[in-house]
C-alpha cells in the first residue's frame, strides 16, 4: 500500500487544504493499493504562487544549468525503474515487461532529450533590423491522464522546465502514484523551490482551477476530447495558451499489394497495446474487399493468442483495463457493435471465465464493420478491433478520414512510396509506414478533434516558448 498524504508545493511536502482522498485501485486484483490527497482550488492557488515566485530566477538560468537538473532527474528515474514499472503495472494493468520498457523507459528518454534540446536550441535569430528572441512562456499547468501516466507527465514537465518555465502538475487521480515518485526524485535533486509543484485531485476541482487560473500562462492537457473541450472553455476567460492532446480513432490502411499476414498481425498488436488504452491505437483496420475474409482469419488467430491475465503473470499478453468504469464502457461498446450488425469474430462482452476478479475484457475483433457504425466512429479505449472493407484506394482514404479524430494511423504497401503517397492524404498527426516504430523525438499530436499543438522533440519544446522581437 502506497499512501501519500501530502502535496508537493514550493519545494516542500505540505498538507492539502482539502480533507478528502482518492483510493488507487490495482486493476488486476481490484484491491486498494494506494491513496492520494484530493486537493482543491486553494492548493492550486498556493502552487501557482510558488511557481510564479520561482519563474523569474528559473527563466534566467542558462540552458546548461537546466539541462544539468534534467539529467539528474533522468538518473533518478533510472534508479527507480523497477518501482515505477511495478507501480504502473499495478495501477494501469499493463504487463510488467511492457511496463518496464514503455512506462518506466520512455520518461528517461524524454528527460534526456529535453536536456539535449535545451542546450542546442537557437533561442535567437536576426531578421532585418530585428533580433527575434524566444523566452519561456511562464507558469505552465499540466493536466495528464492515466493510460501512460509518467510518459505523459514527462512529455510536458521535461520540456517546460527545459524551456525555463515553472509548472503545476495535476496527474490523473486514477493512476497518480508515479507522479508522486517523480516529485520525490525532483525533491532529491534539489530542483530550485517552486519550479515543480504537484497538486493531486479530480478534474472538476483541481483541473478546472488550473485551466481557469489567471496567473497560469499556459495549460497543457492530455485526456479525452470531452474534458479537453471543457479545459479550452474554462481557459478562454484568461486567454492563456492551450495545448491539447486528445482522443483518437486511428486506421491501419492495408493496400492491395501489402504483405497481408505481416500487416494484419502488426495491426492487431498495435490495437491491443496497453489493452487498447492508447490514444493513437489503430483501432480500425481497412482492408480491400476481396481480402476481407482472409484478413479476418489472420486477425482472429492473432487476437486469440492475446491471453488475458494479471499484469504480473508471466503468461499474460493482455492485461486488464484500468478500472470498473472503463470495463463497463468497453463491454457496452461490444454489445453495441453486435446490435449494429457487425460480425463478432472473436471475444465478446463477457468477463473471461477464468478471471472473475480484475477489469478484464476479452480480445475482440469485429468484421464487416461499416464506417458509419458507432463502433467505427467513437473511441472505445479497449481491446476491440473493427475490420472495415474498402473498394479502392480512394475509398480507403475516404474511410480513413471519415472521423472527427486525426491522431495516428498506419499504411502498409509492397512499396513504401505507395504507402507514403496514401499517408500524405490521411489527415492525422502521425502515420507509420510499413511498421515504422514510435519515435519519442518526433512531433506527436492531432489534427481535427484530436487536439492542438505538438509534443516531443524540438516541436514539443517550442510549445513552451514565447516569441519577442527587439527592433535594433
Ligand atoms: P480524462 O479526460 O477523463 O482525464 C484526463 C485528465 O483530465 C485527468 O487528470 C482528469 O482528472 C482531468 N480532467 C477531467 N475532467 C476535467 C475538467 N473538466 N477540467 C480539467 N481537467 C479535467 O481522460 P482519461 O480517461 O484520463 O484518459 C483517457 C483519454 O485520454 C482518452 O480519450 C485518450 O485518447 C486520451 N489520451 C490522449 C493522448 C494524446 O496524446 N492525444 C494520450 C493519452 C490519452
Amino acid at each position: 500500500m502506497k499512501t501519500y498524504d501530502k502535496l508537493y508545493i514550493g519545494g516542500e511536502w505540505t498538507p492539502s487544504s482539502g480533507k478528502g482522498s482518492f483510493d488507487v485501485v490495482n486493476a488486476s486484483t481490484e484491491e486498494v493499493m494506494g491513496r492520494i490527497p484530493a486537493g482543491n482550488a486553494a492548493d492550486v492557488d498556493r502552487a501557482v504562487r510558488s511557481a510564479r515566485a520561482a519563474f523569474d530566477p528559473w527563466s534566467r538560468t542558462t540552458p546548461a544549468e537546466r539541462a544539468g537538473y534534467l539529467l539528474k532527474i533522468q538518473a533518478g528515474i533510472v534508479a527507480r525503474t523497477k518501482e515505477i514499472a511495478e507501480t504502473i503495472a499495478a495501477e494501469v494493468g499493463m504487463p510488467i515487461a511492457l511496463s518496464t520498457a514503455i512506462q518506466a523507459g520512455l520518461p528517461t528518454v524524454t528527460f534526456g532529450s529535453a536536456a539535449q534540446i535545451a542546450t542546442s536550441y537557437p533561442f535567437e535569430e536576426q531578421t532585418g533590423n530585428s533580433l527575434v528572441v524566444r523566452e519561456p512562456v511562464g507558469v505552465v499547468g499540466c493536466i495528464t491522464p492515466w493510460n501512460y501516466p509518467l510518459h505523459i507527465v514527462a512529455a510536458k514537465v521535461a520540456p517546460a522546465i527545459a524551456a525555463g518555465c515553472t509548472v503545476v502538475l495535476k496527474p490523473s487521480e486514477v493512476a497518480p502514484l508515479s507522479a508522486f515518485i517523480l516529485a520525490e526524485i525532483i525533491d532529491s535533486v534539489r530542483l530550485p523551490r517552486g519550479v515543480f509543484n504537484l497538486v493531486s485531485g479530480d478534474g472538476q476541482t483541481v483541473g478546472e482551477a488550473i485551466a481557469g487560473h489567471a496567473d497560469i500562462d499556459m495549460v497543457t492537457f492530455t485526456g479525452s476530447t470531452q474534458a479537453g473541450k471543457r479545459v479550452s472553455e474554462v481557459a478562454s476567460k484568461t486567454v492563456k495558451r492551450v495545448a491539447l492532446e486528445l482522443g483518437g480513432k486511428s486506421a491501419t490502411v492495408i493496400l492491395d499489394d501489402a504483405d497481408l499476414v505481416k500487416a494484419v498481425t502488426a495491426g492487431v498488436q498495435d490495437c491491443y497495446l496497453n489493452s487498447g488504452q492508447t490514444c493513437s491505437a489503430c483501432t480500425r483496420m481497412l482492408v480491400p474487399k476481396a481480402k476481407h475474409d482472409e484478413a479476418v482469419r489472420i486477425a482472429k488467430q492473432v487476437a486469440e493468442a492475446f491471453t488475458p491475465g494479471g499484469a504480473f503473470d508471466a503468461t499474460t499478453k493482455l492485461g486488464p483495463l484500468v478500472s470498473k468504469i472503463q470495463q463497463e464502457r468497453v463491454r457496452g461498446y461490444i454489445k453495441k457493435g453486435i446490435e449494429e450488425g457487425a460480425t463478432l469474430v472473436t471475444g465478446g462482452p463477457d468477463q473471461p471465465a477464468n478471471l472473475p476478479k480484475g477489469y478484464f475484457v476479452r480480445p475482440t475483433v469485429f468484421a464487416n464493420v461499416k464506417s458509419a457504425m458507432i463502433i467505427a466512429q467513437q473511441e472505445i479505449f479497449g481491446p476491440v478491433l473493427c475490420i472495415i472493407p474498402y473498394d479502392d484506394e480512394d475509398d480507403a482514404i475516404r474511410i480513413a478520414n471519415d472521423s472527427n479524430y486525426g491522431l495516428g494511423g498506419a499504411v502498409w504497401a509492397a512499396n513504401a512510396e505507395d504507402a507514403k503517397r496514401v499517408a500524405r492524404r490521411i489527415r492525422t498527426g502521425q502515420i507509420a509506414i510499413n511498421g515504422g516504430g514510435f519515435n519519442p523525438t518526433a512531433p506527436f499530436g492531432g489534427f481535427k478533434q484530436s487536439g492542438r499543438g505538438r509534443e516531443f522533440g524540438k516541436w514539443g519544446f517550442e510549445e513552451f516558448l514565447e516569441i519577442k522581437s527587439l527592433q535594433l
Side-chain angles (χ1 to χ4, degrees):
M1 180 87 177
K2 264 184 187 284
T3 300
Y4 289 95
D5 60 358
K6 294 196 172 66
L7 306 173
Y8 188 71
I9 297 175
E12 278 167 18
W13 289 100
T14 150
S16 164
S17 320
K19 298 270 171 285
S21 62
F22 284 100
D23 284 346
V24 182
V25 177
N26 180 313
S28 305
T29 65
E30 304 187 21
E31 281 159 15
V32 174
M33 58 171 281
R35 193 159 291 139
I36 55 151
N40 62 18
D43 296 323
V44 171
D45 207 43
R46 232 165 7 113
V48 173
R49 269 186 273 124
S50 99
R52 176 58 61 196
F55 176 64
D56 181 59
W58 182 248
S59 67
R60 288 188 289 112
T61 55
T62 63
E65 282 174 78
R66 299 196 291 272
Y69 284 107
L70 290 163
L71 294 175
K72 283 187 199 159
I73 296 169
Q74 180 194 41
I77 297 173
V78 170
R80 292 177 74 173
T81 291
K82 187 165 181 286
E83 182 189 359
I84 291 168
E86 288 176 356
T87 301
I88 300 177
E91 283 174 329
V92 177
M94 184 183 257
I96 183 65
L98 278 177
S99 179
T100 305
I102 298 175
Q103 304 279 17
L106 285 179
T108 67
V109 177
T110 304
F111 274 93
S113 151
Q116 189 272 326
I117 292 165
T119 47
S120 58
Y121 190 79
F123 286 90
E124 299 189 355
E125 65 186 287
Q126 183 111 20
T127 177
N129 68 321
S130 299
L131 180 67
V132 179
V133 297
R134 287 179 173 77
E135 299 179 351
V137 69
V139 175
V140 176
C142 307
I143 304 175
T144 57
W146 47 259
N147 59 343
Y148 291 88
L150 192 59
H151 168 57
I152 293 169
V153 164
K156 299 178 186 310
V157 170
I161 290 178
C165 298
T166 57
V167 304
V168 176
L169 167 66
K170 188 206 92 64
S172 164
E173 63 278 28
V174 179
L177 298 176
S178 58
F180 282 83
I181 297 175
L182 178 67
E184 289 172 348
I185 292 168
I186 285 176
D187 188 58
S188 74
V189 307
R190 303 195 179 284
L191 188 71
R193 288 164 181 271
V195 173
F196 170 87
N197 304 274
L198 170 72
V199 180
S200 55
D202 68 14
Q204 267 96 26
T205 316
V206 176
E208 292 196 20
I210 288 174
H213 203 289
D215 210 21
I216 290 186
D217 300 288
M218 170 179 177
V219 59
T220 166
F221 170 89
T222 298
S224 60
T225 295
Q226 193 190 0
K229 287 177 182 172
R230 178 71 186 142
V231 165
S232 276
E233 198 179 309
V234 175
S236 70
K237 302 204 172 47
T238 55
V239 201
K240 58 170 60 72
R241 184 181 293 186
V242 179
L244 302 171
E245 297 283 348
L246 309 176
K249 190 76 190 177
S250 304
T252 292
V253 178
I254 303 178
L255 296 180
D256 200 37
D257 62 0
D259 179 331
L260 198 64
V261 173
K262 209 167 157 186
V264 172
T265 303
V268 176
Q269 287 167 347
D270 179 272
C271 177
Y272 289 171
L273 178 66
N274 205 19
S275 298
Q277 304 167 117
T278 303
C279 50
S280 55
C282 289
T283 51
R284 298 181 293 154
M285 182 179 284
L286 279 43
V287 298
K289 209 166 255 170
K291 302 218 163 136
H292 174 269
D293 293 353
E294 198 188 340
V296 169
R297 190 183 49 74
I298 301 164
K300 179 175 190 298
Q301 205 180 357
V302 178
E304 287 173 357
F306 269 81
T307 321
F312 294 93
D313 181 339
T315 62
T316 296
K317 288 207 59 194
L318 191 77
L321 298 196
V322 74
S323 65
K324 186 86 199 154
I325 294 173
Q326 289 298 317
Q327 184 192 34
E328 291 300 326
R329 207 169 147 247
V330 173
R331 285 171 161 180
Y333 274 117
I334 298 174
K335 288 182 193 150
K336 189 82 207 161
I338 296 168
E339 273 166 41
E340 286 182 303
T343 311
L344 181 67
V345 176
T346 187
D350 304 329
Q351 180 111 9
N354 61 329
L355 295 165
K357 271 233 171 289
Y359 308 122
F360 294 97
V361 171
R362 298 163 66 197
T364 297
V365 176
F366 280 111
N368 290 305
V369 177
K370 294 191 173 57
S371 187
M373 288 179 181
I374 284 172
I375 54 166
Q377 288 295 326
Q378 296 187 9
E379 185 181 53
I380 297 175
F381 233 52
V384 182
L385 178 69
C386 294
I387 303 183
I388 308 177
Y390 69 79
D391 292 330
D392 56 20
E393 191 175 296
D394 280 345
D395 193 38
I397 293 164
R398 180 191 64 76
I399 298 170
N401 286 328
D402 181 22
S403 173
N404 289 333
Y405 294 114
L407 192 55
V411 183
W412 291 83
N415 180 335
E417 288 310 312
D418 288 332
K420 281 195 239 169
R421 177 169 44 77
V422 169
R424 287 183 211 277
R425 294 178 61 195
I426 297 176
R427 295 191 41 81
T428 69
Q430 46 273 309
I431 301 186
I433 304 296
N434 283 339
F438 176 70
N439 175 357
T441 62
F444 183 96
F447 284 34
K448 301 196 263 182
Q449 292 193 21
S450 287
R452 183 195 304 155
R454 292 293 178 268
E455 290 190 323
F456 300 108
K458 81 173 163 77
W459 301 270
F461 180 77
E462 284 170 343
E463 297 278 332
F464 298 100
L465 298 175
E466 268 292 9
I467 301 174
K468 178 184 283 178
S469 58
L470 305 178
Q471 271 61 258
L472 309 173

